[in-house]
Amino acid sequence: MALLYPDWWFEHITRIPVEFFKERGIRLLVLDVDNTLTTHNNPTPAPGVMEWLSRMKAAGIKLTILSNNHAERVEPFARLLGLPFVAGAAKPLPLGLKRACTQFGCTPAQTALIGDQLFTDILCGNLLPGVCSVLVTMQEPEHSWFFRQKRRLERPILRRFARQHPRQIIGETHL
Ligand SMILES: [Mg+2]
């Protein structure tokens, strides 16, 4: 179960302060897109995301996008945010994450992966030892059958995590 547990769980990405990363020596943020920076397939970032990215950049934190979605979706979004990206990343395989660390000259311990899904984002972060895995509450439930099954499987794991690690949850998690 530990591989599916995030190190931290925040209500929303914009609720994570710069100090959270500074205190932990984290210099690189590897970001999911759908249901993390905006809702699924939405071309517009969620309210507050652009300002949050600016705060991170101003603090000298490096940012990159790692998404399993296809390039046609990810590329224009990444361009709007002014961030480098990898699409079709095949998370939870940690290859893209490992490459991001190398590319930005950061060790896994200096890196945080932030995303909304346990079976892709959090597992990916946990498969590269040292990386800080940060879950953010999904912004809007997906409608496809496949996604609904994934969310159904996530729920009991999240409930158990919340019971066992309440101090690693910041904000309201809507369980
Ligand atoms: Mg996502």
Side-chain angles (χ1 to χ4, degrees):
M1 202 53 75
L3 276 176
L4 291 171
Y5 277 0
D7 290 319
W8 294 91
W9 181 2
F10 281 83
E11 180 180 7
H12 194 270
I13 193 162
T14 57
R15 295 278 308 266
I16 317 176
V18 165
E19 295 73 36
F20 175 86
F21 300 115
K22 290 285 179 190
E23 283 163 10
R24 291 167 176 79
I26 291 167
R27 299 171 48 223
L28 169 65
L29 307 184
V30 179
L31 307 170
D32 175 52
V33 172
D34 293 298
N35 255 330
T36 295
L37 293 169
T38 184
T39 51
H40 201 78
N41 283 332
N42 184 344
T44 310
V49 160
M50 294 305 268
E51 295 78 2
W52 181 83
L53 292 171
S54 299
R55 288 200 295 279
M56 297 300 142
K57 285 180 192 169
I61 293 173
K62 298 167 188 181
L63 302 147
T64 191
I65 282 175
L66 188 69
S67 171
N68 282 358
N69 213 335
H70 49 75
E72 292 73 19
R73 187 291 189 259
V74 179
E75 203 246 325
F77 189 79
R79 203 179 327 120
L80 183 67
L81 269 50
L83 298 180
F85 74 96
V86 171
K91 292 177 282 186
L93 297 181
L95 188 66
L97 178 59
K98 207 181 271 184
R99 277 196 189 132
C101 292
T102 310
Q103 186 188 338
F104 290 93
C106 291
T107 64
Q110 294 171 322
T111 303
L113 185 137
I114 307 176
D116 67 295
Q117 287 192 59
L118 296 185
F119 299 111
T120 53
D121 305 304
I122 298 308
L123 182 55
C124 175
N126 291 342
L127 284 172
L128 190 56
V131 168
C132 178
S133 57
V134 180
L135 181 73
V136 291
T137 302
M138 67 163 161
Q139 298 183 15
E140 184 182 86
E142 301 87 355
H143 302 295
S144 75
W145 181 87
F146 181 62
F147 255 110
R148 276 184 289 140
Q149 301 314 308
K150 280 211 283 192
R151 295 302 186 187
R152 196 172 58 81
L153 293 170
E154 280 184 345
R155 235 167 280 138
I157 302 170
L158 290 172
R159 282 205 196 98
R160 207 169 312 137
F161 174 79
R163 261 199 319 273
Q164 294 173 354
H165 304 283
R167 282 193 299 271
Q168 285 161 248
I169 300 179
I170 316 290
E172 183 56 55
T173 54
H174 313 292
L175 267 179

